[in-house]
């Protein structure tokens, strides 16, 4: 049995805007992971349920000619022998549960290695669309590589090309700490994305998104990875405000107060994580102890990830 672990992922920046031209910053989340297992070797109710769901996914892949790059005959045989995906990545929290599965299936059953990043991303997106209705392909790309990277897109004569800039593990300043704050609500990505697409049909909204939101995302990524702390929090403050206005449908009622927080006293600034609508919020702090005390005192469940 392949014993590679597929870790969760975080999109620190670019969750909505990368589809429309911004960069995106993705990092692995090593605190949760998934791996292949077998009901024969490790029987469990979760294993039986996973195996049953994998059969449904196998049927989706089998019925579509675009997935002939995968050895689906072997996939079916191993499912019949009790294969399942043993995962601690929570569902509906934007942490890459479907991305890890797609990456694992591609790596295990690929008949052809897609070395071109754009083609690989497109193929993984088509695989993941089963779960969300549509997919950018970057979640499984992150889970497949398991390294932090900045994703950018360049227009060429052959269309848009995906460029990955892999980062060292110390891509972020030691003076910046990252928190995941639990909304205690599961999120359904597909309706949130559809709602966002409808918002962009409004010309004024589209213009503001392209002229203000997209450049702010790029500025946040640039200042964070260049370790310009003051500049980063200034950019993040503007982005957080824009999200509270332009993506308010993706912010649950029990999290709205955090978007209006007092950074000077609480040392916490938040933004949407993944598609929003539940799951986690991402919190950034320049004083982890003060931020943790604030979150505890206000009864927020949180995880320190950096």
């Amino acid at each position: 049995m392949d014993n590679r672990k597929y870790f969760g992922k975080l999109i620190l920046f670019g969750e909505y805007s990368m589809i429309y031209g911004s960069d995106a910053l993705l990092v692995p989340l090593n605190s949760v992971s998934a791996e292949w297992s077998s009901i024969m070797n490790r029987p469990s109710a979760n294993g039986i349920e996973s195996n049953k769901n994998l059969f449904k996914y196998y049927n989706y892949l089998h019925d579509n000619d675009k997935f002939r790059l995968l050895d689906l005959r072997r996939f079916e045989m191993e499912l019949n022998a009790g294969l399942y995906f043993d995962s601690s990545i929570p569902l509906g929290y934007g942490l890459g549960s479907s991305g890890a599965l797609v990456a694992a299936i591609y790596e295990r059953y690929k008949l052809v290695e897609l070395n071109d990043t754009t083609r690989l991303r497109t193929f993984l997106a088509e695989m993941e669309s089963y779960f969300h209705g549509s997919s950018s392909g970057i979640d499984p790309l992150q889970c497949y590589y398991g390294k932090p990277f900045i994703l950018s897109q360049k227009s060429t004569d052959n269309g848009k090309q995906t460029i990955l800039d892999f980062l060292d593990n110390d891509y972020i300043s030691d003076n910046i700490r990252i928190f995941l704050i639990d909304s205690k609500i599961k999120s359904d990505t597909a309706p949130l994305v559809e709602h966002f697409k409808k918002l962009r049909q409004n010309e004024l909204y589209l213009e503001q998104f392209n002229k203000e939101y997209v450049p702010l995302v790029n500025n946040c990524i640039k200042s964070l990875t260049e370790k310009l702390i003051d500049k980063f929090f200034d950019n993040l403050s503007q982005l957080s405000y824009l999200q509270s206005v332009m993506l308010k449908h993706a912010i649950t009622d029990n999290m709205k107060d955090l978007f209006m927080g007092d950074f000077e006293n609480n040392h916490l600034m938040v933004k949407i994580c993944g598609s929003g609508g539940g799951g986690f919020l991402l919190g950034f702090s320049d004083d982890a102890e003060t931020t943790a005390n604030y979150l505890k005192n206000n009864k927020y469940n949180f995880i320190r990830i950096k």
Side-chain angles (χ1 to χ4, degrees):
M1 185 67 62
D2 178 9
N3 61 359
R4 177 189 164 178
K5 288 186 181 293
Y6 296 86
F7 295 105
K9 63 82 206 172
L10 286 174
I11 304 177
L12 293 188
F13 293 95
E15 56 283 308
Y16 278 93
S17 55
M18 68 182 136
I19 302 172
Y20 300 101
S22 84
D23 292 346
L25 173 58
L26 287 91
V27 300
L29 181 62
N30 295 328
S31 59
V32 290
S33 63
E35 61 184 335
W36 291 114
S37 189
S38 170
I39 296 170
M40 304 297 291
N41 300 328
R42 199 187 301 173
S44 69
N46 287 339
I48 293 170
E49 183 68 18
S50 170
N51 177 265
K52 185 165 65 174
N53 289 330
L54 283 173
F55 264 112
K56 294 177 184 177
Y57 188 41
Y58 159 80
N59 288 330
Y60 165 77
L61 297 173
H62 180 268
D63 292 343
N64 197 318
D65 287 342
K66 68 179 69 171
F67 300 122
R68 294 300 178 241
L69 288 178
L70 302 173
D71 188 349
L72 296 176
R73 181 175 296 180
R74 179 186 164 207
F75 189 21
E76 182 185 26
M77 289 174 58
E78 293 188 340
L79 288 175
N80 283 321
L83 183 76
Y84 74 93
F85 202 51
D86 190 11
S87 176
S88 66
I89 306 172
L91 301 175
Y93 271 74
L95 301 182
S97 56
S98 61
L101 174 60
V102 167
I105 288 175
Y106 169 74
E107 182 160 52
R108 188 178 182 89
Y109 298 108
K110 63 189 175 188
L111 295 170
V112 177
E113 178 77 52
L114 296 176
N115 294 313
D116 178 81
T117 305
T118 302
R119 285 188 66 204
L120 175 58
R121 176 186 171 185
T122 300
F123 186 73
L124 296 176
E126 289 169 343
M127 289 181 67
E128 196 182 31
S129 64
Y130 169 82
F131 300 98
H132 304 308
S134 64
S135 167
S136 68
I138 70 162
D139 282 15
L141 203 62
Q142 164 56 233
C143 295
Y144 181 66
Y145 287 119
K147 301 174 183 178
F149 61 72
I150 297 173
L151 179 148
S152 58
Q153 301 170 86
K154 294 186 178 178
S155 295
T156 69
D157 293 339
N158 297 320
K160 285 187 176 180
Q161 297 296 306
T162 300
I163 310 296
L164 299 186
D165 180 15
F166 289 100
L167 304 172
D168 295 330
N169 288 327
D170 66 345
Y171 66 93
I172 188 172
S173 168
D174 289 337
N175 295 319
I176 295 177
R177 293 289 180 258
I178 303 176
F179 291 76
L180 285 174
I181 306 165
D182 193 352
S183 71
K184 303 178 185 176
I185 300 170
K186 283 193 175 183
S187 173
D188 187 356
T189 298
L192 290 160
V193 171
E194 285 305 310
H195 184 77
F196 173 65
K197 288 179 179 177
K198 289 179 181 177
L199 288 173
R200 277 184 54 93
Q201 291 173 9
N202 180 295
E203 288 187 14
L204 291 176
Y205 184 96
L206 179 64
E207 182 179 13
Q208 184 180 18
F209 188 85
N210 291 343
K211 288 187 175 180
E212 295 182 36
Y213 192 96
V214 168
L216 260 179
V217 170
N218 291 339
N219 289 340
C220 282
I221 294 172
K222 183 177 173 62
S223 54
L224 178 66
T225 56
E226 291 183 356
K227 303 182 181 180
L228 304 173
I229 298 173
D230 291 342
K231 197 168 187 179
F232 168 69
F233 279 108
D234 179 54
N235 289 324
L236 179 58
S237 175
Q238 296 176 63
L239 182 67
S240 181
Y241 170 74
L242 268 188
Q243 287 192 339
S244 71
V245 174
M246 302 188 73
L247 298 174
K248 58 185 177 183
H249 69 284
I251 301 171
T252 56
D253 289 341
N254 63 343
M255 293 280 134
K256 287 179 179 176
D257 286 349
L258 290 175
F259 278 82
M260 309 305 292
D262 181 355
F263 183 73
E264 286 190 12
N265 289 319
N266 305 326
H267 294 268
L268 173 67
M269 205 169 287
V270 299
K271 66 174 291 293
I272 290 168
C273 178
S275 60
F280 290 103
L281 283 187
L282 271 168
F284 294 84
S285 171
D286 62 354
D287 185 335
E289 186 176 349
T290 298
T291 296
N293 288 334
Y294 165 71
L295 291 170
K296 286 177 187 174
N297 292 338
N298 287 276
K299 297 183 169 38
Y300 288 104
N301 291 347
F302 64 93
I303 304 167
R304 286 177 60 171
I305 62 169
K306 195 267 175 201

